[in-house]
Amino acid sequence: MDIKTFFITTSTSVGSAILLFIGLSKYFGNKFIESQFNKSIEKYKQKINLEFDRISKINQREFEVLPIIWSKLQIHKRNLQFYTNNYFLALDMDTLTDEELSDILAKTPFSLFEKNMIIQSENKMQEYINITRTNGMFVLQQSCFDFINTYDNNRIFLPENLDLKINEISEFLKSTLTVYRFIITSNNEVINNVAKSDFDRNFEKLSSELGRLIQNRLLFQN
């Protein structure tokens, strides 16, 4: 084999080898890139699934706790309506029949023991007032802080608009705790009615605003 033939043969072989190497490099290179891409996609999918799972759990907890917070607020509202209402005080319980008195007491949140104390008392009206004033502040503080604590323990799960509104109600109720004592114990009917009217108006406004926000949230409107 002469030099020319050797060169041509060698060049052809080397060229073929280079082409083969380039071809294999491209093939395996593409396979490697494809493999790395698929791995990245899988990692990204896992990340998305984990994030979706996290958000789903937060939303689930939010929708579980919203009815509870609303229920706690309504319980406090009912307690307020009873203990700051002068309706029963306008009655003369000492002139009522046993049946009438039992019907009236059935509408109160008093315990059976407290109801019996009123029924058996020689001065039923005064006993009723004493129990109302004694229980009133305790019951109202209890239901108020039950609502506030439920909110505080779960506010991390709430969207910003609901958190802000419930926090506003929470601060309002805390700041007006002294109003409860005044309304319950005040003997000045005019001042009592003004204080109660102002309190009721503000509380009803905040409560209604929260109700609309919760309703919209449960309907996925915000």
Short mmCIF file of all heavy atoms in Angstrom, two decimals, residues 75-84 132 134-147 173 176-177 179-181 183-184 199:
data_model
loop_
_atom_site.label_atom_id
_atom_site.label_comp_id
_atom_site.label_asym_id
_atom_site.label_seq_id
_atom_site.Cartn_x
_atom_site.Cartn_y
_atom_site.Cartn_z
N ILE A 75 -72.91 32.83 69.11
CA ILE A 75 -73.17 32.48 70.51
C ILE A 75 -72.96 33.70 71.40
O ILE A 75 -73.77 34.00 72.28
CB ILE A 75 -72.24 31.32 70.97
CG1 ILE A 75 -72.65 30.02 70.28
CG2 ILE A 75 -72.27 31.17 72.49
CD1 ILE A 75 -71.69 28.87 70.50
N HIS A 76 -71.88 34.42 71.14
CA HIS A 76 -71.61 35.64 71.93
C HIS A 76 -72.70 36.68 71.68
O HIS A 76 -73.13 37.37 72.62
CB HIS A 76 -70.25 36.20 71.55
CG HIS A 76 -69.85 37.40 72.36
ND1 HIS A 76 -69.79 37.38 73.73
CD2 HIS A 76 -69.54 38.67 71.98
CE1 HIS A 76 -69.44 38.58 74.17
NE2 HIS A 76 -69.30 39.38 73.14
N LYS A 77 -73.14 36.77 70.45
CA LYS A 77 -74.18 37.73 70.10
C LYS A 77 -75.48 37.41 70.84
O LYS A 77 -76.15 38.32 71.37
CB LYS A 77 -74.42 37.71 68.59
CG LYS A 77 -75.36 38.78 68.08
CD LYS A 77 -75.43 38.73 66.56
CE LYS A 77 -76.35 39.79 66.01
NZ LYS A 77 -76.43 39.73 64.52
N ARG A 78 -75.85 36.14 70.92
CA ARG A 78 -77.07 35.74 71.65
C ARG A 78 -76.94 36.02 73.14
O ARG A 78 -77.90 36.47 73.78
CB ARG A 78 -77.36 34.25 71.40
CG ARG A 78 -77.91 33.95 70.02
CD ARG A 78 -78.52 32.56 69.95
NE ARG A 78 -77.52 31.52 70.12
CZ ARG A 78 -76.79 31.00 69.14
NH1 ARG A 78 -76.97 31.44 67.89
NH2 ARG A 78 -75.92 30.05 69.37
N ASN A 79 -75.75 35.77 73.67
CA ASN A 79 -75.53 36.09 75.09
C ASN A 79 -75.68 37.58 75.34
O ASN A 79 -76.26 38.01 76.35
CB ASN A 79 -74.14 35.62 75.52
CG ASN A 79 -74.05 34.11 75.68
OD1 ASN A 79 -75.06 33.45 75.89
ND2 ASN A 79 -72.85 33.57 75.57
N LEU A 80 -75.13 38.38 74.43
CA LEU A 80 -75.25 39.83 74.56
C LEU A 80 -76.71 40.26 74.51
O LEU A 80 -77.15 41.11 75.29
CB LEU A 80 -74.48 40.52 73.42
CG LEU A 80 -72.97 40.67 73.61
CD1 LEU A 80 -72.32 41.07 72.29
CD2 LEU A 80 -72.66 41.72 74.67
N GLN A 81 -77.45 39.68 73.58
CA GLN A 81 -78.85 40.06 73.43
C GLN A 81 -79.65 39.75 74.69
O GLN A 81 -80.57 40.49 75.06
CB GLN A 81 -79.45 39.33 72.23
CG GLN A 81 -78.95 39.87 70.90
CD GLN A 81 -79.38 39.02 69.71
OE1 GLN A 81 -79.71 37.84 69.86
NE2 GLN A 81 -79.37 39.60 68.52
N PHE A 82 -79.27 38.65 75.36
CA PHE A 82 -80.01 38.31 76.59
C PHE A 82 -79.57 39.17 77.77
O PHE A 82 -80.38 39.81 78.44
CB PHE A 82 -79.85 36.84 76.94
CG PHE A 82 -80.47 36.49 78.25
CD1 PHE A 82 -81.85 36.37 78.36
CD2 PHE A 82 -79.70 36.35 79.40
CE1 PHE A 82 -82.44 36.09 79.58
CE2 PHE A 82 -80.28 36.08 80.63
CZ PHE A 82 -81.66 35.94 80.72
N TYR A 83 -78.29 39.19 78.05
CA TYR A 83 -77.80 39.83 79.28
C TYR A 83 -77.82 41.35 79.24
O TYR A 83 -77.71 42.00 80.28
CB TYR A 83 -76.40 39.33 79.61
CG TYR A 83 -76.41 37.94 80.20
CD1 TYR A 83 -76.05 36.85 79.43
CD2 TYR A 83 -76.80 37.72 81.52
CE1 TYR A 83 -76.07 35.56 79.97
CE2 TYR A 83 -76.84 36.45 82.06
CZ TYR A 83 -76.47 35.37 81.28
OH TYR A 83 -76.51 34.10 81.80
N THR A 84 -77.94 41.92 78.06
CA THR A 84 -78.02 43.39 77.99
C THR A 84 -79.42 43.87 77.60
O THR A 84 -79.62 45.02 77.25
CB THR A 84 -76.99 43.96 76.98
OG1 THR A 84 -77.29 43.47 75.67
CG2 THR A 84 -75.58 43.56 77.35
N THR A 132 -78.71 37.50 87.11
CA THR A 132 -78.34 38.11 85.82
C THR A 132 -77.05 38.90 85.94
O THR A 132 -76.15 38.79 85.10
CB THR A 132 -79.47 39.03 85.32
OG1 THR A 132 -80.67 38.29 85.15
CG2 THR A 132 -79.10 39.66 83.98
N THR A 134 -74.76 38.66 88.32
CA THR A 134 -73.64 37.81 88.73
C THR A 134 -73.12 37.00 87.54
O THR A 134 -71.91 36.91 87.32
CB THR A 134 -74.08 36.83 89.84
OG1 THR A 134 -74.54 37.59 90.95
CG2 THR A 134 -72.91 35.96 90.27
N ASN A 135 -74.04 36.42 86.80
CA ASN A 135 -73.65 35.57 85.66
C ASN A 135 -73.27 36.37 84.42
O ASN A 135 -72.44 35.92 83.63
CB ASN A 135 -74.81 34.64 85.28
CG ASN A 135 -75.01 33.53 86.28
OD1 ASN A 135 -74.32 33.50 87.30
ND2 ASN A 135 -75.94 32.64 86.00
N GLY A 136 -73.92 37.53 84.27
CA GLY A 136 -73.78 38.27 83.02
C GLY A 136 -72.36 38.51 82.58
O GLY A 136 -71.96 38.13 81.47
N MET A 137 -71.54 39.14 83.43
CA MET A 137 -70.17 39.46 83.06
C MET A 137 -69.35 38.21 82.79
O MET A 137 -68.56 38.15 81.84
CB MET A 137 -69.50 40.30 84.14
CG MET A 137 -69.74 41.79 84.00
SD MET A 137 -69.30 42.47 82.37
CE MET A 137 -67.55 42.12 82.29
N PHE A 138 -69.55 37.18 83.64
CA PHE A 138 -68.80 35.93 83.46
C PHE A 138 -69.13 35.28 82.12
O PHE A 138 -68.23 34.90 81.35
CB PHE A 138 -69.11 34.96 84.60
CG PHE A 138 -68.52 33.61 84.40
CD1 PHE A 138 -67.16 33.38 84.60
CD2 PHE A 138 -69.31 32.55 83.99
CE1 PHE A 138 -66.60 32.12 84.41
CE2 PHE A 138 -68.77 31.29 83.78
CZ PHE A 138 -67.41 31.07 84.00
N VAL A 139 -70.42 35.15 81.82
CA VAL A 139 -70.85 34.49 80.58
C VAL A 139 -70.39 35.28 79.35
O VAL A 139 -69.90 34.71 78.37
CB VAL A 139 -72.39 34.32 80.56
CG1 VAL A 139 -72.86 33.83 79.18
CG2 VAL A 139 -72.82 33.35 81.64
N LEU A 140 -70.54 36.62 79.41
CA LEU A 140 -70.16 37.44 78.27
C LEU A 140 -68.64 37.43 78.04
O LEU A 140 -68.18 37.36 76.90
CB LEU A 140 -70.65 38.88 78.47
CG LEU A 140 -72.17 39.07 78.37
CD1 LEU A 140 -72.55 40.50 78.70
CD2 LEU A 140 -72.68 38.68 77.00
N GLN A 141 -67.88 37.50 79.10
CA GLN A 141 -66.42 37.42 78.96
C GLN A 141 -66.00 36.07 78.42
O GLN A 141 -65.10 35.96 77.58
CB GLN A 141 -65.74 37.69 80.30
CG GLN A 141 -65.77 39.16 80.72
CD GLN A 141 -65.09 39.40 82.05
OE1 GLN A 141 -64.94 38.49 82.85
NE2 GLN A 141 -64.68 40.63 82.30
N GLN A 142 -66.65 35.03 78.90
CA GLN A 142 -66.32 33.67 78.46
C GLN A 142 -66.60 33.49 76.97
O GLN A 142 -65.75 32.98 76.23
CB GLN A 142 -67.12 32.66 79.28
CG GLN A 142 -66.72 31.20 79.01
CD GLN A 142 -67.51 30.25 79.88
OE1 GLN A 142 -68.74 30.32 79.96
NE2 GLN A 142 -66.81 29.35 80.56
N SER A 143 -67.79 33.89 76.52
CA SER A 143 -68.13 33.69 75.11
C SER A 143 -67.33 34.64 74.21
O SER A 143 -66.99 34.30 73.07
CB SER A 143 -69.63 33.89 74.87
OG SER A 143 -70.06 35.18 75.22
N CYS A 144 -66.99 35.83 74.73
CA CYS A 144 -66.18 36.78 73.98
C CYS A 144 -64.78 36.21 73.73
O CYS A 144 -64.31 36.18 72.59
CB CYS A 144 -66.08 38.10 74.75
SG CYS A 144 -65.01 39.34 73.97
N PHE A 145 -64.14 35.73 74.79
CA PHE A 145 -62.78 35.21 74.64
C PHE A 145 -62.75 33.85 73.97
O PHE A 145 -61.73 33.46 73.40
CB PHE A 145 -62.08 35.18 76.00
CG PHE A 145 -61.64 36.54 76.46
CD1 PHE A 145 -62.26 37.16 77.54
CD2 PHE A 145 -60.64 37.23 75.78
CE1 PHE A 145 -61.88 38.44 77.94
CE2 PHE A 145 -60.25 38.51 76.18
CZ PHE A 145 -60.87 39.11 77.26
N ASP A 146 -63.85 33.14 74.01
CA ASP A 146 -63.95 31.87 73.27
C ASP A 146 -63.87 32.17 71.77
O ASP A 146 -63.16 31.49 71.02
CB ASP A 146 -65.26 31.18 73.61
CG ASP A 146 -65.29 29.74 73.11
OD1 ASP A 146 -64.20 29.15 72.94
OD2 ASP A 146 -66.40 29.20 72.92
N PHE A 147 -64.58 33.21 71.34
CA PHE A 147 -64.52 33.64 69.95
C PHE A 147 -63.12 34.14 69.59
O PHE A 147 -62.54 33.74 68.58
CB PHE A 147 -65.54 34.75 69.70
CG PHE A 147 -65.29 35.56 68.46
CD1 PHE A 147 -65.57 35.03 67.20
CD2 PHE A 147 -64.75 36.85 68.54
CE1 PHE A 147 -65.32 35.77 66.05
CE2 PHE A 147 -64.50 37.58 67.39
CZ PHE A 147 -64.78 37.04 66.15
N LEU A 173 -64.60 43.97 70.32
CA LEU A 173 -65.18 43.28 71.47
C LEU A 173 -64.31 43.43 72.72
O LEU A 173 -64.82 43.64 73.83
CB LEU A 173 -65.39 41.80 71.14
CG LEU A 173 -66.46 41.51 70.09
CD1 LEU A 173 -66.56 40.02 69.82
CD2 LEU A 173 -67.82 42.05 70.51
N THR A 176 -64.64 46.88 74.26
CA THR A 176 -65.96 47.23 74.79
C THR A 176 -66.40 46.31 75.93
O THR A 176 -67.58 46.32 76.31
CB THR A 176 -67.03 47.20 73.67
OG1 THR A 176 -66.98 45.92 73.01
CG2 THR A 176 -66.80 48.29 72.67
N LEU A 177 -65.48 45.52 76.47
CA LEU A 177 -65.84 44.64 77.59
C LEU A 177 -66.41 45.43 78.76
O LEU A 177 -67.32 44.96 79.46
CB LEU A 177 -64.62 43.84 78.05
CG LEU A 177 -64.29 42.57 77.23
CD1 LEU A 177 -62.97 41.98 77.70
CD2 LEU A 177 -65.41 41.55 77.35
N VAL A 179 -68.20 47.98 78.58
CA VAL A 179 -69.58 48.38 78.26
C VAL A 179 -70.56 47.34 78.77
O VAL A 179 -71.67 47.66 79.22
CB VAL A 179 -69.75 48.58 76.73
CG1 VAL A 179 -71.20 48.92 76.39
CG2 VAL A 179 -68.83 49.67 76.24
N TYR A 180 -70.17 46.06 78.71
CA TYR A 180 -71.05 44.99 79.19
C TYR A 180 -71.43 45.23 80.65
O TYR A 180 -72.60 45.16 81.02
CB TYR A 180 -70.38 43.62 79.08
CG TYR A 180 -69.86 43.22 77.73
CD1 TYR A 180 -68.98 42.16 77.60
CD2 TYR A 180 -70.25 43.89 76.57
CE1 TYR A 180 -68.50 41.76 76.37
CE2 TYR A 180 -69.78 43.51 75.33
CZ TYR A 180 -68.89 42.44 75.23
OH TYR A 180 -68.42 42.07 74.02
N ARG A 181 -70.41 45.49 81.47
CA ARG A 181 -70.66 45.68 82.90
C ARG A 181 -71.57 46.88 83.13
O ARG A 181 -72.48 46.84 83.97
CB ARG A 181 -69.33 45.88 83.64
CG ARG A 181 -69.48 45.99 85.16
CD ARG A 181 -68.14 46.22 85.84
NE ARG A 181 -67.24 45.14 85.57
CZ ARG A 181 -67.23 43.99 86.25
NH1 ARG A 181 -68.11 43.80 87.22
NH2 ARG A 181 -66.37 43.05 85.97
N ILE A 183 -73.80 48.20 81.03
CA ILE A 183 -75.16 47.94 80.57
C ILE A 183 -75.90 47.01 81.53
O ILE A 183 -77.09 47.18 81.81
CB ILE A 183 -75.16 47.34 79.15
CG1 ILE A 183 -74.62 48.38 78.15
CG2 ILE A 183 -76.55 46.88 78.74
CD1 ILE A 183 -74.44 47.85 76.74
N ILE A 184 -75.17 46.01 82.04
CA ILE A 184 -75.79 45.03 82.93
C ILE A 184 -76.15 45.63 84.29
O ILE A 184 -77.21 45.34 84.85
CB ILE A 184 -74.86 43.81 83.13
CG1 ILE A 184 -74.76 43.03 81.81
CG2 ILE A 184 -75.36 42.89 84.24
CD1 ILE A 184 -73.68 41.96 81.83
N PHE A 199 -73.56 50.45 70.93
CA PHE A 199 -72.83 49.18 70.87
C PHE A 199 -73.47 48.22 69.86
O PHE A 199 -72.79 47.63 69.02
CB PHE A 199 -72.79 48.53 72.26
CG PHE A 199 -72.16 47.16 72.26
CD1 PHE A 199 -70.78 47.01 72.34
CD2 PHE A 199 -72.96 46.03 72.15
CE1 PHE A 199 -70.20 45.75 72.33
CE2 PHE A 199 -72.39 44.77 72.13
CZ PHE A 199 -71.01 44.62 72.22
#
